[in-house]
Amino acid sequence: VRVVVLGAGAVGSLLGARLSGAGHHVVLVGRSDHLEAIRAHGLRIEGTDPGTFRVEGAPDARAAQTADVVLLTVKSFDLAEAAGALGRAAPPRPTLLPQNGLGIEAIALRALADAGWAHPEREVVRAIHSIPATWVAPGVVRAAGNGEFILPDPSHGEPDVPPVGRFVELLRSTGYPVRTVATFPEQVWRKAIVNAAINPVTALHGVVNGALLEGPLRLEALALLREAVRSAAEEGVRVPEKEAVEEFERIARATAGNRSSMLQDLERGRPTELDAILGEIERRARSHGVDLPVTHAAIAALEARRAQLAPRGKAS
Ligand code: KPL
C-alpha cells in the first residue's frame, strides 16, 4: 500500500517507520531538515523495537496525488491548513485523523469540503491512539513504550461507510493493537479526559507521564480529570469517574517514560493542543452553564508559560 504521512512529526514518523517495516511504501511529508536527515541516514527509531527504516520524503501535499491512503498526522492546531492543502492538491483519498482532542472531524471535513472534495465524510476516518512518541532530532524519533489504536466499528457506520476496515488492516500491520468500538464518540471523550489529566500537568511541570502516578501531581491531574468527566456528562456522555481514573493510570503507566505531546510542543516553542483538549472541554461545559475552575486556571497557566517560551513573533 502506498501510504502518505502528511505531517511527519514524532507520531507520524513512528507510524511511517512501522508501516515501512511491514512492507508498505511510505512517503513522509514534513520539515525539510527531517527529510534531509532521513535521506542521508534513513529514519531512525530508538526505544521500543528500534531500527532504521527506508521511507521516501516529499515537500508538500501533492505527494497525496498518488497515495492509496493518507495519514493526516499534523497536530490539531495545524489541521485546518493541512486538510485544506490536501483537498486542493489531491482528489479524494481515504484519510485517517488520529489527533488528540474534541471536534477534530468537523475541522477536517469543513476544510476538505471548502477545498473541493465532494463527500469528505466518505473518506475521512477518525481514530484515537495512545502511542507514545518523542521527537529526538531530525531523522530520529523515540518510541517510548506501548499504545493502541481505537477506530469506530464499521458495522455501526452510515450506509456510505468510510474506509474503516482498510485502516484497521493497515494499522494492524504496524504491530500496535487496533480495536474497533461501537461507542466511538464516547471513546474520543475518554481519550480527551485522559489527555486533559496528563498533558497540561506534564507540560506545566516539565515531567514525564509516569511522574503523575503519585504525589501532588497526581492530585493535580485528577482535579482536571474530574472536570473533564463533568463536561462529558453535560454533553450526554457518561463516563464513570472510577473508569476514567483507571484509564488515566493505565495510559500514564504504559507511557511512563514519554514526554507528552503538549510538553514537547511547549519546549519546542510550538503551539500546543491546549485549545482542542482543555479549551473544548471548558467551552462545552460552559455551553451548559457549568464553570470548570481548575481547567480554566490550567489554561491560563499554560498560556502564560507558552508566552514566556514561544519564539518572539510566533505566539498564537
Ligand atoms: O496522547 C498522548 C500525548 O502525549 O498526547 C499520551 C497518550 C498521553 C502519550 O504521551
Side-chain angles (χ1 to χ4, degrees):
V1 177
R2 190 175 160 89
V3 184
V4 170
V5 178
L6 211 52
V11 168
S13 302
L14 176 58
L15 291 179
R18 296 292 184 234
L19 289 168
S20 151
H24 300 292
H25 183 117
V26 175
V27 183
L28 299 188
V29 178
R31 285 164 39 167
S32 57
D33 56 349
H34 187 43
L35 301 183
E36 215 39 66
I38 292 172
R39 199 164 20 243
H41 309 291
L43 171 56
R44 260 177 49 211
I45 301 298
E46 300 180 345
T48 314
D49 294 330
T52 300
F53 299 85
R54 287 209 141 279
V55 295
E56 220 179 279
D60 59 51
R62 278 173 299 181
Q65 285 167 357
T66 53
D68 295 317
V69 297
V70 174
L71 307 187
L72 192 44
T73 53
V74 295
K75 292 279 175 56
S76 54
F77 47 81
D78 282 332
L79 182 58
E81 197 184 319
L86 171 63
R88 285 188 298 278
R93 294 265 173 274
T95 299
L96 190 77
L97 298 176
Q99 285 73 17
N100 281 331
L102 300 168
I104 294 299
E105 268 151 306
I107 296 172
L109 291 176
R110 194 175 326 119
L112 288 166
D114 288 350
W117 282 18
H119 294 285
E121 72 284 359
R122 294 181 190 167
E123 306 293 341
V124 161
V125 174
R126 175 81 168 109
I128 48 181
H129 72 86
S130 54
I131 293 165
T134 309
W135 180 266
V136 177
V140 189
V141 170
R142 211 179 123 70
N146 296 311
E148 65 167 353
F149 279 101
I150 304 179
L151 275 72
D153 184 340
S155 62
H156 287 73
E158 321 266 304
D160 270 329
V161 247
V164 176
R166 194 144 180 207
F167 281 113
V168 169
E169 200 180 318
L170 181 75
L171 294 173
R172 283 211 170 116
S173 76
T174 62
Y176 291 111
V178 181
R179 286 193 286 142
T180 61
V181 294
T183 55
F184 187 71
E186 180 188 319
Q187 289 296 328
V188 174
W189 258 109
R190 284 177 180 258
K191 176 74 198 305
I193 291 168
V194 168
N195 281 128
I198 294 181
N199 295 28
V201 182
T202 51
L204 277 170
H205 296 278
V207 295
V208 292
N209 298 352
L212 309 191
L213 284 164
E214 52 197 35
L217 296 190
R218 174 184 159 90
L219 299 182
E220 232 176 272
L222 291 185
L224 285 164
L225 176 143
R226 256 175 236 120
E227 288 194 349
V229 165
R230 173 83 199 273
S231 178
E234 293 294 335
E235 290 276 282
V237 178
R238 277 176 209 290
V239 179
E241 191 179 307
K242 186 167 167 291
E243 288 179 25
V245 173
E246 282 164 9
E247 244 155 55
F248 154 74
E249 285 172 346
R250 185 173 58 79
I251 292 182
R253 202 167 290 125
T255 65
N258 196 44
R259 299 169 86 71
S260 76
S261 54
M262 196 173 283
L263 172 57
Q264 294 185 53
D265 283 336
L266 201 69
E267 285 177 335
R268 288 164 69 195
R270 288 160 43 98
T272 73
E273 295 189 312
L274 185 63
D275 191 63
I277 301 171
L278 292 192
E280 283 286 326
I281 286 168
E282 186 185 34
R283 276 193 293 279
R284 286 166 192 234
R286 192 166 279 163
S287 75
H288 300 281
V290 173
D291 284 334
L292 303 179
V294 180
T295 302
H296 191 77
I299 292 173
L302 273 155
E303 278 171 352
R305 176 64 60 81
R306 188 170 132 60
Q308 267 172 4
L309 295 178
R312 256 191 308 157
K314 281 200 133 176
S316 66

